[in-house]
């Protein structure tokens, strides 16, 4: 009999019931600072002194976890709502919606990091595709001043259902699109304040930092300094003084695109694994984010707000260097104009499955056009089957892992797909929707908190890609992974079940956190969302039960629970592969360290912990 894991935190039940707390009586301010893509062990007093100071003088969450799949929108949804992905439905950056999205060129596989796309997906799924209340929505409705500033997409998700123009106080939203047709309109108050501070009402572009290059041209060698300097100025010179003048508690989310943007587009390592994401451009991106945090903390000091403001710093995921090499992939043997010889092209999973299943391949990002034999899908996504309007199988390409959907729920097709994936050397771990039953070599998605109350289509299969270390003193700082992406070997990506991707950076400082405390217990981005709500005394009307826990051990006089480690192993496939999952547990709460096939995932211990075989 299969055992179903329910991720439900007793500490959050108390929070959800709205019990009285010191925070309710004396509301604090909160800044949630998200350095996108910051690796958990890359922070030192040299690389990021401001973040190192928060960690060392406040709480060091040294055992932190990104949720898998380790992507931005997925983990943004967890921080925004306190829920695992099975409830939020944000399974990756690109998902299958089951219907065309007009603001994404009518594709059924939209990229979610675009505000109009999020709004349209909301419309298709009951007005709120996330299906859970967000941190800023709850705070705004309780009378807090609220703002979200930073990277397009994850910034907006913190209050994406706020309808500008209705009665009440609205969140300030400043992102890449501010001042354009895709931006959230600025209030008259904000327009006047920006003008008074001599700041423009439109966000500057990324400039050189936005250049990814191609197979022959290196990407950027510049961090995202100018754009983020504008956002930090807006936060420190306009928003924080405005919030102080209102004399109300506030919540500010600052989502720093760096180091993620600089690591993705780095031009330091064209088509080579080293230095990869450890070159000067990536390190400059880390320092850029750190400078933004230092500016915010200085503003708090100057405004007299530091003593009443909690700061949580949490990155959405770690990071890895891209590899495009495979000895088994049919896609790698085809010659493409934009791909070096013998390298994996973008969309290699869709191409390989089309060949293995003997199904036509269509491109959902090219008006469902048939993909030629010597070409790859424009964005990597694929519709497999005779009729692209009614596909047998859908591949949503993301990076270090891909999502596969079988709309018909046909078990035989799932079986054939899994067997084809098991033959590829770039695969390391396969997770299958519980509705399909057990398959040798795979684990059920419920083991990862991916089966919940989500209203968008659940993936049928999540396929993780191989990862390893390029060789350094701290392996998670030099993780390498196969990635299904337009980016090149030597540039950066994430999304895998490598510990290099699951080990994010988390630290906190402020009146509701201990000082100089090292927290050895596992924590996750869902816990960040739950804890942020707790310290503000917010009550969520939760629909799903896949909820993070409040990190009470990091609070003065808070309870310190006990943690345990475990390992789940699948039955072996015909070719001997097993999907193995290493996790930690606090109560019934699971934290996912690494998973995949033994020998193919960085940080995976195939023998460690208390073991359990799936299906028994």
């Amino acid at each position: 009999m299969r055992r179903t894991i329910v991720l439900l935190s007793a500490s959050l039940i108390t929070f959800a019931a709205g019990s009285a707390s010191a925070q309710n009586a004396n509301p604090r301010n909160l800044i949630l600072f998200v350095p996108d893509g910051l690796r958990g062990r890359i922070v030192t007093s040299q690389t990021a002194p401001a973040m190192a100071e928060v960690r060392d003088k406040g709480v060091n969450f040294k055992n932190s976890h990104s949720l898998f799949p380790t992507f931005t929108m997925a983990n943004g949804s967890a921080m925004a709502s306190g829920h695992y992905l099975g409830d939020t439905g944000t399974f990756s950056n690109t998902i299958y919606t089951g219907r065309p999205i007009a603001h994404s060129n009518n594709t059924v596989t939209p990229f979610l990091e675009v505000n109009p796309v999020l709004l349209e997906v909301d419309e298709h799924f009951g007005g709120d595709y996330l299906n859970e209340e967000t941190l800023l929505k709850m705070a705004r409705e309780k009378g807090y001043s609220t703002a979200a500033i930073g990277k397009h997409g994850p910034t907006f998700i913190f209050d994406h259902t706020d309808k500008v123009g209705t009665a009440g106080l609205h969140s300030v939203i400043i992102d890449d699109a501010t001042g354009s047709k895709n931006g959230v309109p600025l209030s008259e108050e904000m327009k006047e304040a920006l003008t008074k501070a001599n700041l423009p009402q439109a966000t500057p572009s990324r400039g050189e930092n936005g250049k990814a290059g191609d197979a022959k041209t290196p990407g950027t060698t510049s961090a995202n300094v100018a754009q983020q300097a504008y956002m930090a100025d807006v936060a420190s010179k306009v928003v924080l003084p405005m919030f102080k003048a209102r004399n109300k508690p506030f919540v500010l989310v600052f989502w720093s695109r760096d180091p993620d943007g600089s690591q993705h587009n780095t031009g330091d390592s064209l088509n080579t694994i080293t230095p990869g994401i450890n070159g000067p451009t990536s390190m400059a991106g880390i320092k850029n984010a750190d400078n933004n945090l230092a500016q915010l903390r200085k503003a708090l000091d100057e405004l007299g707000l530091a003593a009443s403001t909690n700061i949580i710093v949490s990155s959405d995921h770690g990071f890895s260097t891209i590899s495009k090499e495979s000895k088994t992939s049919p896609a790698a043997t085809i010659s493409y104009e934009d791909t070096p010889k013998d390298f994996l092209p973008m969309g290699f999973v869709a191409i390989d499955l089309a060949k293995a299943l003997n199904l036509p391949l269509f491109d959902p990002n090219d008006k469902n056009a048939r993909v030629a034999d010597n070409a790859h899908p424009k964005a990597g996504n694929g519709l497999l089957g005779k009729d692209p309007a009614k596909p047998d199988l859908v591949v949503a390409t993301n990076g270090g892992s891909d999502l596969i959907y079988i709309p018909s729920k046909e078990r035989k097709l799932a079986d054939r797909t899994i067997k084809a994936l098991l033959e590829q050397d770039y695969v390391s771990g396969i997770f299958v929707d519980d509705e399909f039953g057990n398959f040798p070599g795979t684990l059920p998605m419920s083991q990862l908190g991916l089966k919940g109350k989500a209203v968008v289509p659940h993936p049928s299969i999540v396929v993780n890609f191989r990862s390893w270390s390029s060789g350094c003193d701290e392996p998670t700082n030099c993780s390498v992974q196969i990635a299904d992406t337009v980016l090149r070997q030597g540039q950066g990506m994430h999304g895998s079940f490598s510990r290099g991707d699951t080990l994010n950076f988390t630290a906190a400082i402020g009146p509701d956190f201990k000082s100089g405390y090292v927290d050895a217990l596992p924590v996750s981005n869902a816990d960040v969302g739950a804890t942020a709500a707790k310290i503000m005394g917010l009550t969520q009307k939760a629909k799903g039960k896949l909820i993070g826990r409040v990190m009470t051990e990091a609070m003065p006089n808070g309870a310190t629970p006990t943690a345990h480690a475990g390992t789940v192993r699948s039955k072996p496939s015909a070719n001997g592969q097993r999907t193995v999952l290493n996790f930690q547990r606090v109560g019934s709460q699971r934290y996912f360290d690494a998973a995949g096939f033994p020998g193919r995932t960085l940080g995976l211990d195939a023998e460690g912990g208390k073991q359990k075989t799936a299906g028994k």
Side-chain angles (χ1 to χ4, degrees), residues 57-89:
K57 292 185 177 180
V59 179
N60 174 6
F61 296 99
K62 70 174 187 177
N63 191 5
S64 188
H65 294 75
S66 173
L67 299 187
F68 176 80
T70 48
F71 289 108
T72 296
M73 293 301 287
N75 281 275
S77 76
M79 284 189 265
S81 70
H83 286 252
Y84 280 65
L85 311 184
D87 282 346
T88 72

Side-chain angles (χ1 to χ4, degrees), residues 228-483:
Q228 292 189 200
Y230 168 76
M231 292 175 174
D233 282 347
V234 171
S236 60
K237 298 177 182 179
V238 175
V239 173
L240 289 176
M242 179 189 296
F243 286 177
K244 180 182 179 181
R246 290 178 181 175
N247 197 30
K248 295 179 178 181
F250 65 80
V251 186
L252 168 63
V253 176
F254 192 98
W255 196 294
S256 168
R257 182 180 288 277
D258 263 341
D260 180 270
S262 297
Q263 292 172 167
H264 274 309
N265 286 356
T266 179
D268 299 335
S269 195
L270 182 62
N271 294 325
T272 61
I273 298 300
T274 55
I277 58 168
N278 284 305
T281 302
S282 297
M283 302 312 292
I286 293 171
K287 192 66 188 327
N288 186 36
D290 195 70
N291 289 340
N292 294 159
L293 177 62
Q295 183 174 338
L296 294 180
R297 294 199 71 195
K298 181 180 179 183
L300 290 176
D301 286 337
E302 292 174 348
L303 292 166
L305 296 171
S308 59
T309 302
N310 293 297
I311 299 174
I312 301 176
V313 181
S314 187
S315 59
D316 47 346
H317 48 71
F319 232 85
S320 300
T321 298
I322 295 168
S323 170
K324 293 281 194 172
E325 299 179 47
S326 170
K327 295 180 180 179
T328 62
S329 171
T333 65
I334 303 171
S335 178
Y336 309 89
E337 291 183 1
D338 61 354
T339 304
K341 189 177 184 297
D342 298 327
F343 274 24
L344 290 164
M346 187 174 196
F348 59 84
V349 170
I351 295 170
D352 287 349
L353 286 179
K355 292 182 179 298
L357 302 174
N358 194 27
L359 291 172
L361 174 60
F362 299 90
D363 189 344
N365 296 89
D366 189 22
K367 300 179 181 179
N368 290 354
R370 179 79 180 262
V371 178
D373 291 340
N374 63 342
H376 60 75
K378 284 187 174 181
N381 306 308
L383 305 174
L384 282 67
K386 294 180 180 180
D387 183 359
K390 297 179 180 179
D392 296 331
L393 185 144
V394 180
V395 177
T397 294
N398 279 278
S401 57
D402 279 357
L403 307 180
I404 298 171
Y405 298 80
I406 301 174
S408 67
K409 305 293 184 182
E410 183 186 339
R411 192 178 193 279
K412 289 183 179 179
L413 180 56
D415 184 53
R416 292 174 61 207
T417 302
I418 290 164
K419 287 176 179 175
L421 292 170
L422 286 165
E423 296 299 321
Q424 295 299 335
D425 62 2
Y426 54 73
V427 173
S428 181
I430 301 172
F431 302 90
V432 183
D433 188 336
D434 299 55
E435 293 181 12
F436 287 86
N438 287 317
F439 296 87
T442 77
L443 287 174
M445 283 168 42
S446 59
Q447 296 279 0
L448 308 178
L450 294 177
K451 289 291 292 181
K453 292 290 186 179
V455 294
V456 303
H458 281 72
S460 303
I461 299 169
V462 181
V463 54
N464 177 56
F465 298 136
R466 183 166 60 95
S467 58
W468 64 96
S469 169
S470 63
C472 62
D473 292 339
E474 173 46 62
T476 62
N477 284 344
C478 57
S479 174
V480 181
Q481 68 185 223
I482 302 294

